[in-house]
Amino acid sequence: MSEYVKIVIDGTEVKARRGEKLLWAALENDIYIPHLCAIREEARPNASCRLCFVEVEGTQDPVPSCTRTVEDGMVVKTRSPRVDRLVKTGFELLLSDHDLKCRQCPANRNCALQTIAKKRGLKLKQKRFKPVARNYEIDDSPEEFAFNRNRCVLCGQCVFADRRENETGVIGFAGRGINRVVTTFQDLPLAESICRKCKVCVDVCPVGALYYKKSPE
Amino acid sequence: MQLLDGEKEQILSVVDRVLNKSNKKREDLIPVLQQVQAELGYLPALAMEKIAAGTGVPAADIYGLATFYNQFRLNPPGDHQVKVCLGTACYMVGGDITLESFERRMEIREGETTPDRRYSLERVACVGCCTMAPVVVVDDQVEGKVTPTRVDGIMLELEAKNGQTGKEDQSAGGRDGRQEEGEQE
């Protein structure tokens, strides 16, 4: 068996490593699929951001491409009315409780949400869902970085990075539903927790939730 | 929440006992938390830290679990437990206002316990008597049509009850009197 399989994405034949997930195969071949929560090293994808949907020929409903393993001869479409509708809804829900003050955000112009909006022609200011202001206090207790949960999209990139870097995880998800947050044990400010200030979480944040107080030179 | 005298030792021994009976694996966490809560009445931070150390699961994950499931409480039950219904009927007639009134009177938030452990406040979803909305369950007593004025009344009644037992408390030296009660259990 060869190490590679051939799949067709949006009419283009591309090579993908056997066992690879569809999302990464597409991205490697410069085919864009929106995504926030996908982590390549993770054995079991979270599939929680609901943005990377694609249509796979022979499968009835759109599937999240981060969970679907490539198969030889697979025919994939990254866009279809059904995919676009799912992605739009997922995106709008994410933005309905997002602090949309882009100009004051350190991730402005370098934000995964802005990228998705641009690539898919979606609006950051959605009107379909009632906006929910979360009003969390900003945790600026560490010297070099801060955490603004009002901008957090709960993608889990920081939690994964934290667990890879630190033997004892510092941050994790807590709460449920609209109250779900990334936080420390007992909801303590980072400086009072067991955080070692390794900052791997800041480096992986796709939005401006975890950010450096001073932009690094 | 400040621990009472002797509570620390009790927490440590309960957690030890429960952990030793389990396999100390991630998948045993929920039963472990349930048993610890059954014995202590709640999940103190110290207990969660000990469980984290014993199972090798990050404390942040135990906290995540305990905050995800409604069955777990992070604060000790108060002497008087107030449960405000926010089911559909109660919510529609202003159950949230009732809850807010209690929060203001007790100076705590929903899910918390006053520092003296007299009162704890919770929200529940439907007690089964929607015609009496907004409903509040005070200890085991169901109260109907609880307006903010009635909240004041309920709190006065509870304080009066405290006053009666409080006299004994004072003669026995305040909080110590209550602890003796606890130890007998």
Side-chain angles (χ1 to χ4, degrees):
Chain A
M1 255 205 312
S2 103
E3 204 190 325
Y4 289 90
V5 293
K6 277 183 185 159
I7 57 173
V8 178
I9 306 178
D10 292 342
T12 321
E13 194 180 272
V14 298
K15 253 180 17 176
R17 212 168 292 124
R18 194 176 288 279
E20 185 79 283
K21 294 282 187 275
L22 205 41
L23 173 68
W24 305 110
L27 291 174
E28 259 185 9
N29 288 287
D30 291 324
I31 296 164
Y32 181 76
I33 297 174
H35 62 101
L36 284 174
C37 71
I39 296 164
R40 202 171 191 168
E41 301 92 302
E42 209 168 35
R44 249 186 102 226
N46 264 329
S48 60
C49 70
R50 316 312 287 167
L51 294 177
C52 68
F53 281 105
V54 294
E55 299 257 12
V56 176
E57 218 163 82
T59 304
Q60 199 182 358
D61 292 319
V63 289
S65 58
C66 65
T67 60
R68 187 66 183 254
T69 311
V70 292
E71 287 157 35
D72 210 14
M74 206 178 219
V75 179
V76 180
K77 276 203 295 186
T78 63
R79 301 291 294 267
S80 78
R82 288 198 303 173
V83 164
D84 286 357
R85 196 165 159 227
L86 281 167
V87 174
K88 183 166 186 267
T89 305
F91 191 66
E92 287 178 336
L93 280 167
L94 276 173
L95 283 162
S96 67
D97 66 347
H98 185 79
D99 188 9
L100 255 186
K101 291 192 210 75
C102 292
R103 270 196 222 160
Q104 289 156 39
C105 177
N108 194 14
R109 295 162 168 279
N110 187 23
C111 167
L113 291 173
Q114 288 175 335
T115 311
I116 295 166
K118 204 173 150 199
K119 296 257 191 187
R120 284 288 160 103
L122 296 165
K123 283 200 182 78
L124 286 168
K125 277 208 176 105
Q126 59 86 26
K127 293 206 178 103
R128 196 157 132 218
F129 301 106
K130 193 176 138 194
V132 180
R134 287 193 284 182
N135 297 325
Y136 288 119
E137 252 176 66
I138 299 169
D139 179 6
D140 59 357
S141 60
E143 204 173 304
E144 290 174 78
F145 61 100
F147 182 28
N148 183 345
R149 295 195 277 197
N150 303 311
R151 297 188 189 127
C152 180
V153 290
L154 298 171
C155 63
Q157 299 282 351
C158 53
V159 178
F160 186 81
D162 166 65
R163 298 297 163 84
R164 190 171 38 191
E165 185 73 19
N166 300 300
E167 206 177 313
T168 311
V170 179
I171 48 174
F173 287 108
R176 187 174 34 163
I178 191 81
N179 296 319
R180 194 140 176 91
V181 284
V182 169
T183 188
T184 58
F185 179 60
Q186 291 283 294
D187 215 3
L188 288 171
L190 283 159
E192 289 167 37
S193 74
I194 54 171
C195 172
R196 296 188 301 120
K197 325 284 182 306
C198 66
K199 294 171 292 211
V200 288
C201 56
V202 186
D203 294 331
V204 296
C205 185
V207 294
L210 279 153
Y211 58 97
Y212 289 104
K213 289 181 185 174
K214 267 188 226 146
S215 46
E217 262 88 273
Chain B
M1 181 69 48
Q2 193 114 34
L3 296 180
L4 305 173
D5 291 342
E7 199 179 1
K8 189 179 162 189
E9 290 71 26
Q10 193 201 358
I11 293 168
L12 293 178
S13 82
V14 166
V15 171
D16 238 24
R17 185 150 36 82
V18 173
L19 272 182
N20 281 334
K21 275 191 287 181
S22 79
N23 293 325
K24 302 187 186 178
K25 292 218 173 100
R26 189 177 268 270
E27 54 265 35
D28 301 317
L29 275 177
I30 291 179
V32 164
L33 292 178
Q34 283 170 329
Q35 283 163 42
V36 169
Q37 174 161 302
E39 297 211 28
L40 297 173
Y42 72 116
L43 293 175
L46 177 65
M48 288 193 275
E49 278 172 316
K50 288 289 154 199
I51 295 168
T55 53
V57 174
D61 279 1
I62 312 246
Y63 182 69
L65 246 167
T67 52
F68 184 89
Y69 293 105
N70 240 341
Q71 60 173 306
F72 295 122
R73 51 184 307 156
L74 303 180
N75 289 303
D79 298 343
H80 298 294
Q81 298 181 37
V82 176
K83 296 175 187 131
V84 180
C85 179
L86 288 183
T88 314
C90 291
Y91 186 80
M92 288 312 290
V93 289
D96 53 332
I97 299 173
T98 309
L99 180 64
E100 244 175 66
S101 309
F102 274 114
E103 287 181 332
R104 244 195 312 265
R105 283 294 306 253
M106 295 179 177
E107 296 178 2
I108 51 172
R109 302 287 302 277
E110 170 262 315
E112 294 179 351
T113 304
T114 54
D116 61 3
R117 301 203 187 185
R118 286 251 189 256
Y119 305 106
S120 57
L121 183 62
E122 279 167 74
R123 51 178 286 182
V124 291
C126 202
V127 226
C129 46
C130 307
T131 49
M132 290 157 73
V135 175
V136 172
V137 184
V138 182
D139 296 329
D140 284 321
Q141 184 86 26
V142 178
E143 303 265 353
K145 304 209 183 342
V146 183
T147 57
T149 326
R150 181 71 193 115
V151 170
D152 287 347
I154 291 171
M155 288 303 290
L156 277 175
E157 282 165 31
L158 289 176
E159 269 156 36
K161 271 191 214 166
N162 285 339
Q164 281 164 14
T165 52
K167 269 178 213 157
E168 293 157 32
D169 276 6
Q170 273 156 20
S171 58
R175 297 285 312 170
D176 295 336
R178 282 167 31 73
Q179 271 162 37
E180 277 164 30
E181 279 169 38
E183 275 160 16
Q184 280 161 14
E185 274 167 27

